[in-house]
Amino acid sequence: MSRIVQYSRYGGPEVLDIVEVAEPHAGPGEVRVAVRSAGLNNFDSKVRRSPALLPHRVLPSGQGSEFAGVIDELGDGVSTAVVGDEVLGWSNFTAQADFVVVPAGHVAPKPGGLGWATAGGLGLVGNTAERSTRAVTPRRGETVLVSAAAGGVGLFAAQLAIAEGAIVVGTASEGNHDYLRGLGIIPVAYGPGMVDRLRAAAPQGIDALIDNAGRETVEAAIELGVDPKRINSIVYFEGAAEYGISNVGGGGKKSEDLGRLARLVTDGTILLPIAATYPLDEVRGAYEQLESRHLRGKIVLTLP
Ligand SMILES: NC(=O)c1ccc[n+]([C@@H]2O[C@H](COP(=O)([O-])OP(=O)(O)OC[C@H]3O[C@@H](n4cnc5c(N)ncnc54)[C@H](OP(=O)(O)O)[C@@H]3O)[C@@H](O)[C@H]2O)c1
């Protein structure tokens, strides 16, 4: 049997259950992974709470789209992996389980130096951060604003922009400011008065915005003269029609890209902190913490 996280009605973390189902098996071209860790993302919560978001979904649904674990079964025709390989990968709302079955191309090797919790939590934020950072092409010496800079996507994006040579200003609540400073990010509190604080923090001006928070930061950047072509938001989708900004988010995942992001985290170029880990059967508490929206890094379910 395999334990899976499942919900049969839309709602908050209280609708999540651990259900025992028959073990899945790898079909042609697929691998089965014995899961060691599976990350939580806000998108899981949004989909679970909003029937209209993905209208063709049928309940019951599993949950979680990123994982790390050990390949324990190969389907016919798979030549890119062997049983025992340690991998990280992505799936479509099935990752939070004892076993996950995915196409062999949806996993990448887990570097030996990468811990299980981090490996299971980096795929979605890494992919999203990389694509949204590329959308504004930060250049050496430019000043880039990153909102929600202490969150999973924001912290990753801020560090990618710094690696490109940009000066990064990041919005966060006060409790995260020393932490961001330690990573070379100039912290600014969001909320009323943010525009003035941004002016003071970046008197040289802001060249681009990587937005992970929404309308407030996008409008602040526009007020500060940032060209909408150099603003990308993964949250404020109306901003494309209203201001001409871009909305490049996660997607187009490739095994090579996931492997490269994993190496960036393993070699220390990117720090991906783990805010908390929970056992699978405490998944409700894990999402309650996630949905409090004031995290420093990732929440990950870990399996023995
Ligand atoms: N479109 C896509 O492809 C895509 C992909 C991934 C994520 N997303 C979305 O992007 C957002 C961020 O995701 P995440 O995984 O990084 O979230 P997360 O790890 O949960 O982080 C949330 C962060 O938001 C900050 N925050 C809360 N209220 C804020 C405000 N009013 N202004 C600025 N920051 C605020 C918090 O900062 P403090 O603790 O410092 O207050 C916290 O660090 C979520 O809405 C998520 O659904 C979209």
Side-chain angles (χ1 to χ4, degrees), residues 42 46 128 148 150-153 172-173 176 190 212-213 234 249-250 293-295:
N42 285 294
K46 288 180 182 174
T128 306
V153 179
S173 47
N176 283 324
Y190 54 78
N212 311 296
I234 61 169
R293 286 220 62 207
H294 291 286
L295 298 178

Side-chain angles (χ1 to χ4, degrees), residues 35-49:
V35 176
R36 297 290 307 272
S37 60
L40 275 61
N41 284 289
N42 285 294
F43 192 56
D44 305 330
S45 302
K46 288 180 182 174
V47 169
R48 172 171 27 80
R49 287 175 178 274

